[in-house]
Amino acid sequence: MDQNEVKYDKLLKIKTTGRDDSRSDQYCYPYEPTPYGVLERLAYCGYLGKKNHLIDYGCGKGRVDFFLAWQVRCRTTGVEYDERMTKAAEENRQRAVSGTKTSFILENAAIFQVPESADRFYFFNPFSVEILRSVIGHIRESWYEKTREMLLFFYYPSDEYISYLMTVEELEFLDEIDCQDLFDGKNPRERILVFQMGEDIGISDGRGVKTT
């Protein structure tokens, strides 16, 4: 096992390692935590800060939520349909160093109503494109109800995801965070695609420069 996996779980006082496909099907995919090296890249990219509220779809045991809440001090909410996973995330929250900044909701992502405070969204292939369509629909509705800067992060995106995202009129491709060097084999899917919801608002690139 990667030493990073052990180091950060211990540091954050959580247990999130291991894959679980016992509740997966054609619509909801297996639990597999995002590697901590990838989360470091996301945390240092400049798109997340303490004023942001991130929704983590298919959060599983909550690794993304705990790490980002600790690293960039943002507020995080994990959405998970599997009761066992939500229970594990809640157990982690009781002892996690960043537990006060995290919360977890047991609900089907397809019907989850996006709170108006949410402005960052994370996906690691948690479900099928059919469910993704519903999720993007709710994010879009929330943006129209309260126009604000919204960024969506897609780690290890599938061709199906990319093809669909490119058809959403309100979504604009903003950036790509390359993660290939973190792993052997130079897999082109090892990246985080960043999309912006809404009209041209202007986003800080982390160096104080506005990008469009």
Side-chain angles (χ1 to χ4, degrees):
M1 182 182 293
D2 187 330
Q3 289 304 305
N4 245 8
E5 303 293 289
V6 177
K7 180 186 76 172
Y8 274 122
D9 259 22
K10 185 176 181 180
L11 178 65
L12 297 172
K13 297 182 180 179
I14 58 178
K15 295 180 180 178
T16 61
T17 57
R19 174 186 169 96
D20 188 324
D21 59 4
S22 59
R23 289 289 303 277
S24 62
D25 56 30
Q26 62 180 330
Y27 298 110
C28 299
Y29 300 156
Y31 166 71
E32 186 172 355
T34 302
Y36 277 114
V38 172
L39 291 178
E40 286 179 325
R41 288 278 164 90
L42 180 58
Y44 301 149
C45 72
Y47 293 128
L48 279 164
K50 63 182 181 181
K51 293 182 179 180
N52 296 126
H53 178 192
L54 179 133
I55 305 295
D56 174 21
Y57 287 98
C59 67
K61 299 176 183 178
R63 174 182 292 188
V64 170
D65 308 87
F66 296 118
F67 180 84
L68 293 176
W70 169 74
Q71 185 66 55
V72 303
R73 298 174 59 198
C74 65
R75 179 182 166 198
T76 62
T77 299
V79 179
E80 175 59 54
Y81 87 110
D82 187 336
E83 187 174 357
R84 294 177 309 115
M85 287 294 171
T86 308
K87 182 180 179 181
E90 278 293 344
E91 289 174 353
N92 277 328
R93 191 173 71 84
Q94 296 302 316
R95 58 178 179 268
V97 296
S98 57
T100 59
K101 286 184 167 291
T102 65
S103 60
F104 298 97
I105 297 174
L106 176 63
E107 189 166 12
N108 187 325
I111 62 174
F112 173 70
Q113 297 298 311
V114 177
E116 66 175 25
S117 60
D119 58 2
R120 299 292 186 268
F121 307 87
Y122 182 82
F123 304 81
F124 176 16
N125 295 325
F127 33 63
S128 67
V129 170
E130 287 82 1
I131 295 177
L132 179 63
R133 289 177 188 275
S134 297
V135 170
I136 296 298
H138 289 305
I139 294 174
R140 184 170 49 205
E141 289 170 7
S142 182
W143 184 84
Y144 277 117
E145 289 171 1
K146 182 186 177 184
T147 304
R148 59 198 185 274
E149 176 186 286
M150 279 185 168
L151 297 183
L152 291 74
F153 306 104
F154 295 88
Y155 169 56
Y156 207 82
S158 65
D159 289 341
E160 277 189 312
Y161 264 40
I162 296 171
S163 295
Y164 164 65
L165 294 169
M166 291 301 185
T167 69
V168 180
E169 186 177 348
E170 293 87 351
L171 278 182
E172 178 183 1
F173 173 72
L174 184 66
D175 200 0
E176 176 180 319
I177 303 169
D178 188 8
C179 301
Q180 291 186 65
D181 61 301
L182 298 174
F183 308 95
D184 296 329
K186 291 293 183 180
N187 185 342
R189 287 184 65 182
E190 287 293 351
R191 54 182 176 160
I192 302 171
L193 297 186
V194 185
F195 284 81
Q196 178 180 352
M197 175 67 74
E199 299 170 350
D200 181 9
I201 303 171
I203 305 296
S204 170
D205 70 352
R207 300 183 294 273
V209 178
K210 290 291 184 180
T211 61
T212 56

